[in-house]
Amino acid sequence: MWRSKVNMLTRFSSPSDSDTKYWYGLDIIRFIVTPPIVYFHAYEMLFYEDIIPFKTGIFVSISRFLIISVFIIISLISFLYGLKKVSNKRRKKLIILLPLGFIVLLFTQGDEPFKDLYTDWDIFCFLAVSILSLYGLEKFKKLITPAAVIGFILLCVPLWEWFPSEDSYLKNILVGNCAANAPGNAFPIFPWIGLIWFCYGLGVWTRKGSINYLSKWTKVESFIWLALFIVAFPQWGAYYSAPLGPGFFCFMLRQTPFIFWSHFIVILFLMRLSLVSTVNNFLAQLKICHWLRQLMWMRLFGICYVTHFIFIGLYYLFIPTRFNEIYCLTGAIQAFVLTEISVRSVVYMSQKIFQKKEAATHK
């Protein structure tokens, strides 16, 4: 009995180990893009300046190269949500996780972590609205395909250009504020809920019969991807120069749809490649892939994502500021490692508690 409870815990916002099919490539993608996200959050909380206040090194360059990690994570979450059947218990856990994430951001993202409150619209608010919309689609399954199509269209239209330049809190929520000195713009609902709907629709489409087709790679598909890459190539690198402070989201979220799709096509390609049986079978033989699968950052990504903000905030409070890359890199590494250790410790202690309770019931 305790095993079932522990399994329930480790399924919190991640694909279940008990699923009959496991795609190791998706884990690799998520592992590659997670450290740059943690590094960006460390920079944001420690400095929050668009112009980097220190001489940059290799890790800043790598993080900039993977600056679209924010799109990749949201795409993977949405795709997996559609690909894997979500139980009612897991839905309830997500409902707990999202407000928890909002509370953590409330206390850690202010000018002084744990002292100033952060009340702007942010990614957890966006995810809460998006996941609630997915609950609606699950209730009315006939709307999934239309929603995916609408999502695709939303990502092809620069909606923000149709709104007046004046900033307001409502505009910030809907399409974001990019006026001078205006707060927010961290993932407005439109057009970015379209990314959720589109990738979720792809996941559902894959689960409902297309997985057998996608398990094989064809020569025709090779030519299609090659043509897409040729068209996309001239736009690659457009996100590289993104400011890392207040101007980050306005820069990232307001590139032209053509630039967005030119980069997003790479994400879709890697996700597509992960579903090919020969690729998945090869990765399943690698020990490192099984090691990745056991990381809490893979098994409980949602909890880890929330927790790492706390460790960055504590680092800011207790470690004197140094204007160099090592200071920022150390803050990111300690947040990543301590999050893994702390979440793993909680899971381990939960297992022990359930073991004792199970043993006591059999006496």
Side-chain angles (χ1 to χ4, degrees):
M1 183 177 177
W2 69 270
R3 289 183 183 276
S4 64
K5 292 181 179 178
V6 171
N7 287 338
M8 187 191 309
L9 175 64
T10 57
R11 284 198 295 269
F12 200 133
S13 75
S14 68
S16 171
D17 281 351
S18 62
D19 290 317
T20 56
K21 189 72 173 178
Y22 194 89
W23 291 277
Y24 292 91
L26 299 180
D27 269 0
I28 294 174
I29 297 169
R30 183 160 53 180
F31 181 76
I32 290 173
V33 302
T34 297
I37 289 176
V38 176
Y39 183 84
F40 165 72
H41 289 153
Y43 178 92
E44 184 182 39
M45 293 175 67
L46 299 176
F47 301 115
Y48 200 55
E49 297 179 30
D50 284 335
I51 299 176
I52 296 178
F54 51 80
K55 185 178 180 180
T56 60
I58 184 65
F59 200 81
V60 171
S61 298
I62 293 173
S63 296
R64 284 191 173 280
F65 179 72
L66 294 170
I67 201 76
I68 62 171
S69 296
V70 62
F71 296 135
I72 298 175
I73 286 296
I74 290 177
S75 302
L76 279 176
I77 291 173
S78 307
F79 179 74
L80 286 170
Y81 197 93
L83 185 63
K84 305 281 186 177
K85 273 199 168 184
V86 181
S87 65
N88 289 329
K89 290 179 180 178
R90 189 170 157 202
R91 288 193 190 95
K92 291 178 182 177
K93 291 178 183 295
L94 281 172
I95 291 174
I96 296 172
L97 178 65
L98 291 171
L100 179 62
F102 176 78
I103 292 171
V104 169
L105 288 186
L106 181 70
F107 286 98
T108 62
Q109 292 294 93
D111 293 336
E112 291 283 333
F114 306 109
K115 296 178 183 178
D116 298 323
L117 298 182
Y118 178 80
T119 58
D120 291 333
W121 177 268
D122 214 301
I123 190 166
F124 280 104
C125 300
F126 166 77
L127 289 175
V129 171
S130 300
I131 289 177
L132 285 175
S133 72
L134 294 186
Y135 288 171
L137 294 179
E138 288 177 337
K139 287 269 188 183
F140 304 98
K141 292 182 171 51
K142 291 183 179 180
L143 296 179
I144 293 176
T145 299
V149 173
I150 292 172
F152 174 80
I153 295 172
L154 286 173
L155 295 173
C156 295
V157 180
L159 288 177
W160 54 86
E161 294 183 359
W162 303 349
F163 282 71
S165 59
E166 293 80 10
D167 64 277
S168 67
Y169 196 77
L170 179 60
K171 183 191 172 188
N172 184 33
I173 293 173
L174 293 177
V175 295
N177 283 328
C178 282
N181 300 318
N185 200 52
F187 269 96
I189 295 175
F190 299 104
W192 299 106
I193 198 169
L195 184 60
I196 299 279
W197 290 348
F198 177 68
C199 292
Y200 171 74
L202 287 180
V204 172
W205 173 73
T206 302
R207 171 165 53 89
K208 292 187 173 181
S210 299
I211 190 62
N212 292 331
Y213 170 77
L214 293 174
S215 65
K216 300 175 183 178
W217 188 271
T218 64
K219 291 182 179 179
V220 173
E221 194 173 355
S222 298
F223 287 112
I224 294 173
W225 284 109
L226 179 60
L228 290 173
F229 285 157
I230 290 173
V231 174
F233 179 75
Q235 283 67 241
W236 289 353
Y239 289 105
Y240 186 83
S241 59
L244 299 182
F248 176 79
F249 282 106
C250 278
F251 183 94
M252 291 293 294
L253 303 182
R254 291 200 171 185
Q255 295 294 321
T256 66
F258 186 49
I259 287 178
F260 167 77
W261 279 103
S262 295
H263 290 78
F264 189 62
I265 201 69
V266 180
I267 303 171
L268 291 177
F269 173 75
L270 294 175
M271 291 167 60
R272 164 71 189 98
L273 201 61
S274 299
L275 300 178
V276 179
S277 291
T278 52
V279 174
N280 194 54
N281 292 338
F282 171 76
L283 295 176
Q285 299 174 25
L286 302 179
K287 290 184 179 179
I288 191 171
C289 290
H290 292 277
W291 176 77
L292 286 178
R293 184 177 180 179
Q294 298 305 315
L295 289 177
M296 292 296 108
W297 274 99
M298 300 298 106
R299 296 166 62 86
L300 300 173
F301 179 81
I303 293 177
C304 290
Y305 186 85
V306 171
T307 304
H308 88 280
F309 285 105
I310 298 174
F311 287 113
I312 297 175
L314 293 173
Y315 182 82
Y316 176 91
L317 287 181
F318 294 110
I319 306 298
T321 301
R322 298 286 186 272
F323 288 96
N324 56 58
E325 185 176 9
I326 296 300
Y327 173 73
C328 188
L329 180 58
T330 303
I333 292 174
Q334 64 86 28
F336 185 91
V337 174
L338 292 180
T339 293
E340 175 71 25
I341 293 172
S342 61
V343 174
R344 185 173 293 274
S345 299
V346 170
V347 171
Y348 176 79
M349 288 187 290
S350 299
Q351 290 176 339
K352 291 299 180 182
I353 292 171
F354 289 134
Q355 279 180 328
K356 289 181 180 180
K357 286 184 178 181
E358 183 70 10
T361 58
H362 286 292
K363 286 184 179 180

